[in-house]
């Protein structure tokens, strides 16, 4: 801030300058007034012309003028003072300070009678007013002297002071944007060289804030010398910055509009009846299929753009629009030059003049071809979905959480046996469900709402109004609104047939079809539960292993049917010999298992064994003949030497053989002879750990043939082990040991690599077959890296993964885990399929068959071999074939050894077969020979 002395010096300087200025000769009387109107200074002319009396009159007369200037400092106020013998024309201006406030006034006076030439002419006044108040800046370039006069507006429009720059040509050029200077130069030179009649160009200049501002520069040379050079050029500067911004916004909006029209397939047009001028947008050209480089066809020449019917309607609507101003909205069919038809919505309106006549027509063409196709497809799909829902017995529902209001589709009403359209509430439907199912539904709904679960599924039992019991699978998905549960939507599927089939399969899979007893897998499950209870309660438990004596004689002498009747009778007698809490099961063939719970002492197990031997020994009437068999029983007690079911089974099995050695028809407790078998296992495990390194393994291959056309659908890889001593070990003996000791992992990788390599060699030799199959242990499936190893093996051996089948047992699917699901997802993604080996001998769950990429069920050879001997086995295999086909799976029969069995399988619709009837397992080179012979 300036100090007081500086202000004083500035004020003194101003006074000095004013006094000096007033000393200059002037024919006008000049006065300098302060803000109150007091005279501060005057020139000689004023002192001689104005006496104190006149000064007082002038001050009084000019008071209103000064008040006006106080509010509007930029104005000029004129006043004529008249008194007898004297007339003075006065011009009053305000003097503004740096802060914009009025610091004083200047007054000029003259007597028009004494100096009429000092009076401003009307034309000059008009020009001065126009110049000072115009929005454009005026410039005047004297080319000879190189000076440019610019009006104050040239600078104030840019925020500069009126005298911010000198009058040189270059001072203005320095303000021009560097990128625009060449354009300015070219435009100016073109005019000065006579190429253009005037000079006009727009460019950017830097304003007082350092920003670029657009101006329009226009000028014309008005004087030339004798050599044809311009002497004087005048012109204007127009501030067009706001116009440029609006122009940019318009271009942006036009681009957005064009993009929107393109996205929406919406074109527009306009037509002037006065000059027949027709305009189309770019998108309309695309819709019509014409190039935008050509003008659009006139209205009267557009018949070829529409089908006859559409053109007739459009023509009538256009006439009504033109004559009556009646808008139209039509759906038409356009014809592109290629012959393609496009469905469009056409709208037209008239813009009327003051007399109500159409001065122009405007309209839009909306291409809705894809929309109509989508609607047609949607209608078709909805109709298809309705048919599928009816065929698949699937209904939809909506349940409003807050009110409990329930909406069903028509199919859902039909599934529940209720007349469609009947109002429903969730609570009103619950009594129709079985009590357990109603409770399950309520619990699922409450959990979904309370915990905001995305989805819940429940299988429930429902009783229809006509007392039919049906099974439903209800899947609901929760929808939120404003973060709160709003409604549950989902599907209801009638799974009655599936449920009943599942129950039948459950019976087939877990119960012996002949005797009705639990099969070995269900027996294992329940026995393990009993062992766990016995461990917790500290109560003894005994396992009896039964094998019938002389049963083969009955089959040989009286036939298998008689043998089946005998087994059924024996099963009934076994049930009668034990308590209801005990467990009886059939292991297979003529072997049975009995689990005795809470055996107080070993002698109690012996008493039951004697009771069983006596009951079994009673004659059985078979078709008029009596048959009599005995049984040998091995007994093992749960304890240190047999802490689990597996060890119990091994111990009881060993004891049973001891009973046979003792003369049959007796029982034996497990004894130390079991130690020898343990030793055998230990030796086998030790040899097994070295077998892979010693190259003692090799593969044998057995084909699976299609029963449709006899082609080789698959070749199964079978592991064989010949020890260094030349002994051939049975897979049934060493594979369980390999699984228990973990050697199955490296052995399995070796088998997979060898099988893929051999398959590739066959393929490269031109041999025809479908896929290569490899047996996989449940232990391998638990390895998180197993799927990766499989894919790496396929890649390394150059064998396509979609020609690889992995055979697993049903028990392998029972240990459902994240690892197993991820493994099967990778298999599915790469085309690797699964085959369930020995199906029917394990625990089957339809859910697993749906969830995992299972392609084939392989019927166990124990069922197939008895097809032509036991009717129940024939029914069982037929049930498995039907089940597999119902699930979309292929079915393979193992152990086919006779033509009779093969024909039965064909009659049942079995897909493929494998067995000695075709060939025994062969080494790789012999299998190649066999394959070549099939060609």
């Amino acid at each position: 801030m300036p100090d007081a002395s500086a202000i004083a010096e500035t004020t003194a300087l101003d006074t000095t300058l004013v006094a000096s200025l007033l000393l200059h000769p002037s024919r006008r009387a000049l006065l300098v007034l302060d803000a109150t109107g007091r005279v501060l200074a005057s020139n000689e002319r004023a002192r001689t012309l104005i006496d104190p009396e006149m000064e007082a009159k002038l001050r009084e007369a000019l008071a209103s003028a000064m008040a006006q200037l106080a509010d509007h400092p930029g104005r000029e106020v004129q006043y004529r003072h008249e008194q007898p013998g004297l007339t003075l024309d006065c011009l009053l201006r305000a003097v503004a300070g740096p802060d914009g406030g009025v610091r004083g006034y200047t007054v000029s006076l003259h007597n028009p009678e004494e100096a009429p030439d000092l009076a401003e002419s009307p034309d000059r006044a008009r020009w001065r007013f126009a110049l000072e108040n115009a929005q454009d800046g005026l410039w005047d370039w004297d080319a000879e002297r190189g000076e440019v006069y610019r009006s104050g507006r040239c600078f104030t429009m840019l925020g500069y002071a009126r005298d911010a720059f000198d009058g040189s040509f270059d001072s203005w050029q320095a303000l021009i944007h560097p990128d625009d200077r060449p354009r300015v130069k070219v435009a100016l030179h073109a005019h000065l060289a006579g190429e253009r009649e005037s000079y006009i160009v727009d460019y950017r200049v830097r304003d007082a804030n350092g920003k670029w501002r657009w101006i329009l520069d226009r000028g014309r040379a008005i004087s030339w010398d004798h050599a044809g050079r311009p002497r004087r050029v005048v012109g204007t500067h127009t501030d067009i910055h706001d116009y440029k911004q609006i122009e940019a916004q318009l271009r942006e909006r036009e681009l957005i509009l064009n993009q929107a029209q393109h996205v929406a397939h919406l074109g527009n047009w306009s037509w002037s009846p006065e000059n027949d001028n027709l305009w189309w947008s770019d998108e309309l050209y695309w819709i019509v299929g014409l190039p935008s480089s050509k003008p659009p066809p006139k209205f009267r020449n557009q018949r070829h753009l529409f089908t006859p019917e559409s053109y007739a309607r459009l023509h009538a609507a256009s006439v009504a629009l033109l004559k009556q101003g009646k808008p139209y909205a039509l759906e038409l069919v356009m014809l592109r030059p290629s012959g393609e038809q496009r469905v469009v919505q056409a709208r037209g309106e008239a813009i009327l003049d003051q007399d109500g006549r159409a001065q122009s027509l405007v309209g839009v063409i909306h291409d809705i071809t894809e929309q109509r196709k989508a609607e047609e497809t949607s209608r078709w799909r909805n109709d298809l979905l309705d048919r599928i829902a009816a065929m698949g017995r699937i209904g939809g529902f909506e349940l409003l959480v807050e009110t409990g209001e329930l909406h069903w589709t028509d199919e859902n009403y039909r599934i529940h046996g209720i007349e469609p359209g009947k109002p429903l509430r969730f609570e009103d439907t619950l009594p129709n469900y079985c009590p357990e199912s109603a409770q399950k539904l309520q619990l699922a709904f409450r959990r979904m709402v309370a915990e905001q679960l995305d989805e819940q599924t429940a299988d429930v039992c429902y009783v229809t109004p006509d007392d039919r019991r049906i099974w439903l699978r209800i899947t609901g998905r929760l929808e939120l609104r404003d973060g709160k549960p709003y409604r549950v939507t989902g599907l209801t599927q009638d799974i009655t047939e599936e449920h009943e089939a599942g129950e039948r399969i459950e019976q087939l899979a877990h119960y012996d079809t002949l005797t009705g007893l639990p099969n070995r897998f269900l027996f294992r499950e329940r026995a393990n539960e009993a062992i766990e209870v016995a461990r917790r309660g500290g109560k003894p438990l005994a396992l009896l292993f039964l094998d019938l004596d002389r049963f083969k004689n009955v089959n040989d002498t009286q036939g298998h049917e008689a043998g089946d009747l005998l087994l059924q009778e024996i099963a009934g007698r076994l049930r009668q010999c034990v308590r209801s809490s005990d467990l009886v099961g059939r292991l297979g063939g003529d072997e049975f298992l009995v689990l005795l719970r809470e055996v107080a002492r070993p002698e109690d197990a012996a008493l039951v064994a004697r009771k069983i031997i006596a009951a079994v020994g009673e004659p059985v009437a078979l078709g008029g003949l009596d048959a009599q068999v005995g049984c040998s029983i091995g007994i093992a007690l749960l304890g240190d030497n047999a802490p689990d079911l597996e060890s119990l089974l091994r111990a009881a099995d060993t004891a049973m053989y001891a009973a046979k050695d003792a003369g049959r028809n007796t029982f034996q407790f497990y004894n130390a002879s079991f130690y020898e078998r343990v030793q055998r296992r230990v030796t086998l495990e030790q040899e097994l750990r070295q077998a892979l390194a010693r190259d003692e393994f090799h593969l044998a291959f057995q084909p699976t043939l299609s029963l449709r056309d006899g082609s080789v659908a698959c070749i199964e890889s079978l592991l064989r082990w010949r020890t260094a001593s030349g002994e051939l070990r049975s897979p049934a003996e060493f594979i369980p040991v390999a699984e228990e000791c973990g050697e199955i992992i490296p052995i399995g990788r070796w088998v997979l690599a060898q099988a893929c390599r051999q398959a590739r060699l066959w393929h490269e030799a031109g041999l025809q077959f479908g896929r290569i199959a490899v047996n996989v242990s449940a232990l391998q499936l638990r390895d998180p890296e197993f799927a990766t190893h499989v894919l790496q093996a396929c890649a390394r051996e150059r064998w396509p993964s979609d020609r690889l089948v992995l055979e697993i047992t049903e028990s392998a699917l029972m240990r459902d885990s994240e690892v197993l699901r991820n493994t099967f997802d990778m298999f599915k993604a790469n085309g690797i399929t699964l085959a369930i080996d020995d199906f029917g001998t394990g625990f089957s769950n339809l859910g697993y068959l749906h969830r995992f990429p299972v392609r084939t069920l392989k019927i166990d050879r124990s069922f197939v071999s008895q097809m032509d001997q036991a009717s129940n086995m024939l029914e069982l295999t037929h049930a498995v074939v039907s089940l597999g086909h119902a699930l979309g799976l292929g079915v393979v029969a193992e152990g086919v050894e006779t033509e009779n069995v093969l024909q039965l399988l064909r009659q049942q619709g079995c897909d493929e077969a494998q067995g000695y009837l075709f060939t025994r397992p062969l080494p790789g080179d012999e299998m190649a020979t066999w394959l070549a012979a099939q060609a």
Side-chain angles (χ1 to χ4, degrees), residues 244 246-256 258:
K244 281 289 186 178
I246 294 173
E247 182 181 279
Q249 292 175 356
L250 290 175
R251 282 197 300 268
E252 180 182 356
R253 291 177 182 177
E254 183 179 2
L255 178 62
I256 294 173
N258 288 338

Side-chain angles (χ1 to χ4, degrees), residues 265-294:
H265 297 313
L266 187 70
N268 57 306
W269 56 268
S270 65
W271 178 62
S272 172
E274 183 176 351
N275 54 21
D276 196 21
N277 186 23
L278 178 63
W279 172 85
W280 278 3
S281 68
D282 290 343
E283 188 62 22
L284 184 54
Y285 275 103
W286 182 89
I287 294 173
V288 177
L290 295 177
S292 59
S293 58
K294 296 182 179 180

Side-chain angles (χ1 to χ4, degrees), residues 81 95 182 223 276 288-289 296 317 367 418 463 506 607 706 710 721 821 846 903 929:
H81 175 73
V95 179
S223 176
D276 196 21
V288 177
D367 187 344
I418 300 176
V463 180
E506 187 81 7
L607 289 174
S706 169
W721 179 19
R821 288 193 294 273
L846 295 179
Q903 292 304 318
T929 303

Side-chain angles (χ1 to χ4, degrees), residues 41 81 189 470 637 785 831 903 931:
H81 175 73
H189 286 188
I470 62 175
L637 302 175
E785 300 299 322
Q903 292 304 318
L931 286 172

Side-chain angles (χ1 to χ4, degrees), residues 589-607:
D590 59 353
E591 295 178 332
F592 295 86
L593 295 172
V594 177
L595 187 73
L596 303 178
R597 304 172 188 262
E598 300 182 14
V599 179
R601 52 182 183 167
E603 289 80 359
D604 291 343
L607 289 174

Side-chain angles (χ1 to χ4, degrees), residues 125-332:
R126 294 187 190 102
W127 169 248
R128 180 176 55 83
F129 177 80
L131 182 63
E132 292 180 356
N133 293 279
Q135 294 298 312
D136 293 353
L138 174 68
W139 55 267
D140 187 344
W141 177 31
D142 188 333
E144 289 183 344
R145 291 190 296 173
E147 295 179 355
V148 181
Y149 164 77
R150 297 184 191 275
S151 68
R153 178 58 182 164
C154 290
F155 302 106
T156 58
M157 73 171 61
L158 301 177
Y160 296 110
R162 289 177 176 266
D163 55 352
F165 301 97
D166 59 30
S168 68
F169 183 84
D170 293 337
S171 63
W172 182 265
Q173 294 296 310
L175 297 178
I176 301 175
H177 195 288
D179 294 344
D180 296 342
R181 290 173 189 169
R183 251 182 337 105
V184 175
K185 184 176 180 180
V186 169
L188 181 58
H189 286 188
H191 171 59
L192 298 181
E195 298 174 5
R196 295 181 184 174
E197 187 172 342
S198 62
Y199 156 72
I200 180 169
V201 64
D202 59 355
Y203 53 86
R204 291 162 290 176
V205 293
R206 189 182 300 278
D207 64 14
N209 296 320
K211 298 181 179 179
W212 296 108
R213 196 166 186 86
W214 283 95
I215 68 167
L216 176 63
D217 196 358
R218 289 176 290 190
R220 178 189 294 270
I222 61 173
S223 176
W224 308 81
D225 63 11
H226 66 281
R229 293 187 298 267
R231 295 180 58 205
R232 187 179 176 194
V233 185
V234 294
T236 59
H237 292 321
T238 305
D239 184 352
I240 61 169
H241 189 73
D242 292 340
Y243 295 106
K244 281 289 186 178
Q245 289 186 321
I246 294 173
E247 182 181 279
Q249 292 175 356
L250 290 175
R251 282 197 300 268
E252 180 182 356
R253 291 177 182 177
E254 183 179 2
L255 178 62
I256 294 173
L257 177 61
N258 288 338
Q259 290 295 325
Q261 288 188 343
H262 178 67
V263 171
H265 297 313
L266 187 70
N268 57 306
W269 56 268
S270 65
W271 178 62
S272 172
E274 183 176 351
N275 54 21
D276 196 21
N277 186 23
L278 178 63
W279 172 85
W280 278 3
S281 68
D282 290 343
E283 188 62 22
L284 184 54
Y285 275 103
W286 182 89
I287 294 173
V288 177
L290 295 177
S292 59
S293 58
K294 296 182 179 180
K298 300 298 183 181
F299 265 169
R300 57 184 173 273
N301 297 328
Q302 292 185 5
R303 182 184 298 271
H304 65 285
L305 299 181
F306 300 89
T307 61
E309 186 272 339
S310 293
Y311 181 77
R313 290 192 293 120
L314 177 61
H315 183 266
S318 299
V319 171
L321 175 62
L322 183 61
K323 292 184 177 180
Q324 305 169 20
K326 181 179 179 182
Y328 66 79
L330 306 171
E331 184 167 310
L332 308 170

